Amino acid sequence: MKKIVAKIVFASVCASMAMANGAFVGVDGEYLLNSKIKYDYKETSGGTTTSSSYNIKTSPIGIGLRAGYDFDKYRIYGKFNYFLEDSSDQFFNNSTASTADVSFYEFVVGADYIRPISKEVKLQVGGYTGVSAAFIEMQEVGVVGSNTFGLPGWVLGAKVGGIYDLDKTGAIEFGLRLDHTKYAGTETTASGGDKTTEDFKRTNLGLFVGYTYKF
């Protein structure tokens, strides 16, 4: 008897999940209110170490494409973000003016908790992680030539926002995102033993708005 009851309960749960669940795709527009890259440079020569820092601040716009599966109260997804190149005036060691051109992309996987507020409106809170790649070209004033970097990294972030259901298949999404990326640093050792290390970290705070289509 217990087995029969368990099977009925299990079948009921599966049926209710099947009605609520579904695959979805979406597209997002992104605007980073504050995107900051901290670039630390250290050089050791003849037993003497000197260090410098760049603070590169930009506010790029981007586009995101996502696909995932909705389990009613939560959902999982994969997403690709691409941020257009943005130029920045910044300061080297807080003294010498320089400029930088920055673009980057991300591929992340994430999960959201969904809580209904009304019939059409839902709250979403979630986290995501994945890989990122940044392309940076820096030009210091008074110096011939520029430094160009292509950097792989790992991103970890969180978001909070809302979902407004237009109908059974379409929804508008919006919210705020915050993430941190640690890029792979570089270390170069010359034949004479001189060593140069470079380290990059990025912090993003931005807004997103998008459209979701539910199958």
Side-chain angles (χ1 to χ4, degrees), residues 98-111:
S98 55
T99 61
D101 294 323
V102 182
S103 64
F104 68 100
Y105 67 83
E106 304 166 334
F107 181 77
V108 300
V109 292

Side-chain angles (χ1 to χ4, degrees), residues 25-215:
V25 294
V27 59
D28 296 324
E30 311 246 5
Y31 175 66
L32 298 183
L33 302 170
N34 185 8
S35 179
K36 178 181 176 181
I37 296 177
K38 189 174 187 296
Y39 165 43
D40 294 319
Y41 175 90
K42 184 183 292 185
E43 182 178 6
T44 302
S45 178
T48 302
T49 299
T50 58
S51 60
S52 304
S53 292
Y54 281 102
N55 286 311
I56 306 171
K57 296 181 180 180
T58 59
S59 297
I61 60 173
I63 186 171
L65 302 174
R66 54 190 161 81
Y69 202 84
D70 193 331
F71 295 90
D72 192 23
K73 292 185 178 180
Y74 67 94
R75 63 183 180 179
I76 56 175
Y77 63 90
K79 185 177 181 182
F80 174 79
N81 293 321
Y82 177 72
F83 289 86
L84 303 176
E85 183 176 271
D86 192 32
S87 296
S88 171
D89 292 329
Q90 33 95 31
F91 295 90
F92 176 56
N93 260 0
N94 297 320
S95 59
T96 305
S98 55
T99 61
D101 294 323
V102 182
S103 64
F104 68 100
Y105 67 83
E106 304 166 334
F107 181 77
V108 300
V109 292
D112 296 333
Y113 169 70
I114 309 297
R115 180 180 178 85
I117 298 176
S118 67
K119 184 177 180 180
E120 293 86 9
V121 180
K122 301 173 184 176
L123 171 70
Q124 61 167 314
V125 179
Y128 54 90
T129 187
V131 294
S132 176
F135 304 92
I136 307 170
E137 182 177 2
M138 294 186 292
Q139 175 66 61
E140 187 179 348
V141 173
V143 176
V144 177
S146 60
N147 293 327
T148 303
F149 302 91
L151 305 166
W154 191 263
V155 58
L156 180 65
K159 67 175 185 175
V160 60
I163 303 172
Y164 182 79
D165 287 329
L166 300 173
D167 50 39
K168 292 183 179 181
T169 59
I172 299 294
E173 304 200 14
F174 53 91
L176 183 72
R177 58 171 276 180
L178 174 67
D179 57 49
H180 179 77
T181 304
K182 176 68 170 68
Y183 293 104
T186 64
E187 182 173 306
T188 305
T189 302
S191 57
D194 295 346
K195 184 168 67 174
T196 300
T197 58
E198 295 167 296
D199 187 61
F200 297 82
K201 299 175 183 177
R202 174 195 287 274
T203 302
N204 291 326
L205 174 65
L207 303 172
F208 67 88
V209 61
Y211 176 78
T212 299
Y213 179 81
K214 298 171 283 186
F215 294 96

Side-chain angles (χ1 to χ4, degrees), residues 5-27:
V5 172
K7 288 181 179 180
I8 293 173
V9 171
F10 178 75
S12 300
V13 171
C14 290
S16 62
M17 287 182 65
M19 292 178 64
N21 295 353
F24 65 88
V25 294
V27 59

